[in-house]
Amino acid sequence: MVENVSKEFRLQMEGYGLTTAQIHYRLPDHPSLLQLYVWQDYDLAPEFPELKGFLSYWERELEGPLHSVRVAHHRLITPSEWRAIEGVITIQ
């Protein structure tokens, strides 16, 4: 049964939440123009290791310099919503 559990569900059970970042960056050939990139993944607030890793990659490998990053985060499963229940429930 454990094999049937998705990676995303396992991450949520470990405290990860859905993180969305609006990344504004300057175009290399037209520095006066801003472009928007939306990044979304499961991450741990408030450290955001996944987002920090992505932004480090961006600064190291891509030419468009970052202008600003706006972050929204929401835990989809919280401790009050998840609890183990013993027993069998029959639905007919």
Side-chain angles (χ1 to χ4, degrees):
M1 174 121 181
V2 174
E3 299 86 29
N4 295 334
V5 176
S6 70
K7 173 189 161 199
E8 290 80 12
F9 182 74
R10 275 188 247 141
L11 287 172
Q12 290 177 53
M13 294 307 296
E14 293 172 11
Y16 282 71
L18 189 60
T19 303
T20 304
Q22 290 182 342
I23 302 168
H24 287 92
Y25 64 97
R26 297 198 182 275
L27 295 175
D29 347 0
H30 303 284
S32 61
L33 295 178
L34 285 178
Q35 185 73 9
L36 173 66
Y37 179 82
V38 177
W39 175 91
Q40 192 171 58
D41 203 351
Y42 288 93
D43 210 349
L44 283 170
E47 294 84 20
F48 299 110
E50 302 295 327
L51 177 58
K52 286 180 181 176
F54 177 75
L55 293 175
S56 294
Y57 167 80
W58 183 298
E59 290 180 324
R60 188 178 61 252
E61 301 292 331
L62 302 179
E63 292 183 21
L66 296 174
H67 175 268
S68 60
V69 179
R70 200 163 120 182
V71 179
H73 176 81
H74 184 67
R75 285 189 63 186
L76 301 175
I77 296 178
T78 60
S80 62
E81 293 177 308
W82 176 258
R83 60 187 169 157
I85 298 175
E86 290 186 33
V88 175
I89 301 172
T90 305
I91 301 175
Q92 294 185 5

